[in-house]
Amino acid sequence: MMATTHVFAGLAAVAPVAYLLPELATPLAVGAILGGLAPDFDLVFDHRRTFHFPVAGAAVAVLAVGVAVAAPGSLTAALAAFAVAAWLHAVSDAAGSGPEMDPWNHRHDRAVYDHVRGRWLRPRRWIRYDGAPEDAALATVLAVPALAVFDGPIAVVVLVGVVLSIVYALLRRRLVAWLPDWLE
């Protein structure tokens, strides 16, 4: 899935809490945005293995939410949103395709690494590849709760993200041809 889809999923997850506790809206949004992006910082390492935790991440997310409920505040809310969004990112990567640059060719049967079981989870391909039309549609739908709850700079970031998602989806398959050989 696209980075924007992961970010919007995290924002959608925290939107109800932000609606009920508007004083925590900004820390929740910032945590969700960073958590939605963070797992993909492993692109320069072993992508979808180094910073993706689809099983162990659930325990971290539950713990972080528990801490935020027990000691509510900006920092605990942001950390809980980060943990939940990062976990959602890792889990949802299994719903897509593999991590290769041209996943529509189905060269790999691995989506995301499960550190608990010590094996790769297979791709479900419900979202055929990052930037597929269904990925752009999902990103747009997931952006709606964020646009309904958050305002100001967060709303601007979401709107820009929706536009980028659509443009990326329109160009995605062509981008592989434009990449230098060493990236493939």
Side-chain angles (χ1 to χ4, degrees), residues 55-146:
V55 178
V60 174
V62 168
L63 178 64
V65 168
V67 169
V69 169
S74 294
L75 181 61
T76 57
L79 290 174
F82 180 95
V84 168
W87 172 68
L88 284 173
H89 177 139
V91 168
S92 63
D93 271 346
S97 194
E100 59 269 346
M101 295 304 289
D102 57 348
W104 46 84
N105 289 326
H106 305 300
R107 292 182 308 181
H108 296 110
D109 199 29
R110 58 183 211 176
V112 64
Y113 192 75
D114 175 359
H115 294 83
V116 173
R117 293 183 190 96
R119 65 179 176 86
W120 285 91
L121 300 177
R122 67 177 182 79
R124 302 293 192 268
R125 295 187 173 95
W126 297 332
I127 302 292
R128 293 173 295 154
Y129 54 89
D130 71 301
E134 62 271 18
D135 192 9
L138 179 61
T140 303
V141 168
L142 288 171
V144 171

Side-chain angles (χ1 to χ4, degrees), residues 2 25 73 80 93 115 158-159:
M2 296 180 290
D93 271 346
H115 294 83
V158 172
L159 286 171

